[in-house]
Structure formats: structure tokens, C-alpha cells
Amino acid sequence: MALGAALAVIVGVVVAPAASATTGADFDPGFIVADEQFYDGDALTAEQIQSFLNARTPVCDTWRTGRGANLAPFTCLKDYRQSVPTMNADEYCSRVDGALMSAAEIIAAVGQACSVSPKALLVLLQKEQSLVTDRWPWRTQYDHATGFSCPDSAPCDPQFAAFFSQVYYAARQFQLYRDHPDSYNFRAGETVAIQLHPNPECGTATVMIVNDATAGLYNYTPYTPNAAALANLYGTGDDCSSYGNRNFWRIWSDWFGSPTSA
């Protein structure tokens, strides 16, 4: 599961000011986001999400010139629309009725259906593919929007290569982690060794995982940032740095305030 970048400031949604002093010293690897925030499926309406997306990319590059030729037209997330299939209710998500939906409507509908905060889904989209702020996203970014079923050691599973599928199955997966903790590597209330990087030679950090949401993030992206990654919170660390969970926490902090406040 991939990396990402971010920024903030918005009308209609409560966010942290752009100048908020988020530092690596504030990062707690065992408590990345509170359950009360992560599993709040009603945190944002579709209208609030649309306003948020409009503020992130007020201007979208519909065409971009590169290498002497016009590249294909781009659609920013704020303008993206997709025909969504009907998803019947199961033990993890309630029913989603099929329709032509905007990205904002998809995020809101999935958040409500699967009881995962639209804030978490927006942060995940940014952390994985920078989709929220990208002014010229490629089709592959939508196909792999949340990094769902995209392991580090193999290609992404093509059956989930669509924006709605990526958002829906990622949200649903976080409920699987919560409902069946014994089936996964990381669980709330346990102290575990978590790799610092996909390269095992980079070593591990011992982490006491406080809650279900944090355990879910580690099951989704099984690395914790090292000191170098935290020392350069908005940049890169060293050859043994990983950024996924650091960026999730940082992006949430910048956009919506502290992710660990109840």
C-alpha cells in the first residue's frame, strides 16, 4: 500500500488551520486515530465532501502538455463521476443503491454504509494516490485509489480496479479487521513488533496498539515510521523509512485536526 502528500483549509467542514504545528514528536505509533473518529460514518455529508474537494483543487488541468504532445484529458476527483452498482447488505456494510454518483456521493454513501468516516476515506485516497489534491490524475490512480488489494510484493488485483470498488472494499475491509481480529496480524491491546520498512533488514519497532482503528491501519499498511521519517514530517527520511501510516496521521491532522481526540 502506497504513500501520499497533503495540505489544508476549507469552508463548510471543520479542519485544522494550515499553519497548525504538527510535528513528528506528536505521533504515537500505538494510537494513530481514535475509534470514535475513524468509525463515524456520518462525519461528513456528500455536500461537505464536495466543498472540501472543490477547495483542494479549485482548478483542474483538463489537458496537460508533456514531451511535445498533448496528454489525455484529466478528471480531478471533484469532477469525477461513476455508475455505481447496487451492493446488497452484508454483516459489514448496509445496502448501497446503484446510481450515477459523484466521487463525493460515493465517499459519503460508502462511509455511511460501512460505518467508516468519510474523513478516513479522504485521507486514505490522499495517502495512497494523492487523488484529493492532484490536478492531473491518471486513470491508474482511480483504479488503485485506496490501494485495496495492492500488495507490496505483487500487482494489484484487477477485479477491484475501479474507484467505487476501491473505496467500498477498503471501507468494508476495515470492518473485517474490527470484527475478526484473530484473523489478522495486528490487534488492539497487544504489544507487537512492527516492521519499519518492507525490507526486513531495516528492523522493527515495538508498539502497543491501543485501539481497533489503529490495528486496522497496521493490517492495511503493516509498517510504522522510523525516527528519520518523523524528523522530516513533510518530506523523506532515509532508506529504511516508510510513510503510509505517518502520512495518514499527518494528513488527518492537517485537514481535520487531531485524529486522536474523541
Side-chain angles (χ1 to χ4, degrees):
M1 313 255 171
L3 319 176
L7 207 16
V9 133
I10 176 107
V11 176
V13 182
V14 176
V15 301
S20 61
T22 303
T23 68
D26 298 323
F27 179 80
D28 180 348
F31 188 34
I32 298 173
V33 58
D35 287 350
E36 293 88 345
Q37 293 214 55
F38 191 88
Y39 298 111
D40 181 4
D42 296 316
L44 298 174
T45 65
E47 291 75 16
Q48 288 175 311
I49 297 167
Q50 187 64 57
S51 294
F52 183 87
L53 295 177
N54 292 344
R56 303 279 68 74
T57 51
V59 178
C60 182
D61 288 358
T62 54
W63 289 87
R64 187 167 179 80
T65 302
R67 297 181 182 177
N70 285 331
L71 303 178
F74 300 97
T75 302
C76 288
L77 193 59
K78 70 185 179 71
D79 302 315
Y80 183 85
R81 300 180 71 81
Q82 180 185 344
S83 182
V84 169
T86 294
M87 306 298 290
N88 292 323
D90 63 15
E91 60 183 302
Y92 309 109
C93 300
S94 61
R95 178 183 171 93
V96 176
D97 290 321
L100 179 64
M101 293 187 188
S102 67
E105 290 168 334
I106 289 172
I107 293 165
V110 170
Q112 272 198 330
C114 300
S115 297
V116 170
S117 173
K119 294 180 182 180
L121 297 176
L122 286 164
V123 172
L124 189 63
L125 290 165
Q126 183 70 8
K127 172 251 214 194
E128 292 290 339
Q129 293 292 337
S130 299
L131 265 176
V132 175
T133 58
D134 198 337
R135 292 169 53 191
W136 48 86
W138 294 92
R139 170 62 183 272
T140 186
Q141 290 171 258
Y142 286 102
D143 287 346
H144 308 147
T146 63
F148 179 79
S149 201
C150 289
D152 291 319
S153 57
C156 297
D157 188 335
Q159 70 175 310
F160 301 108
F163 180 77
F164 173 77
S165 295
Q166 284 284 303
V167 175
Y168 177 84
Y169 284 105
R172 184 178 180 274
Q173 186 64 45
F174 282 107
Q175 291 299 348
L176 266 78
Y177 295 146
R178 191 184 196 189
D179 289 354
H180 302 285
D182 292 339
S183 299
Y184 300 97
N185 291 329
F186 303 105
R187 294 172 285 275
E190 293 188 358
T191 299
V192 293
I194 301 178
Q195 285 186 216
L196 299 173
H197 188 272
N199 179 0
E201 293 183 3
C202 287
T204 63
T206 300
V207 177
M208 166 61 184
I209 299 176
V210 171
N211 64 334
D212 289 331
T214 300
L217 289 177
Y218 281 123
N219 282 312
Y220 201 83
T221 305
Y223 312 108
T224 196
N226 65 1
L230 295 174
N232 191 12
L233 199 59
Y234 290 84
T236 57
D238 59 24
D239 289 344
C240 282
S241 292
S242 65
Y243 307 100
N245 285 311
R246 180 204 73 171
N247 286 354
F248 186 96
W249 171 83
R250 174 179 58 75
I251 294 165
W252 189 309
S253 298
D254 286 348
W255 283 353
F256 306 117
S258 171
T260 56
S261 61

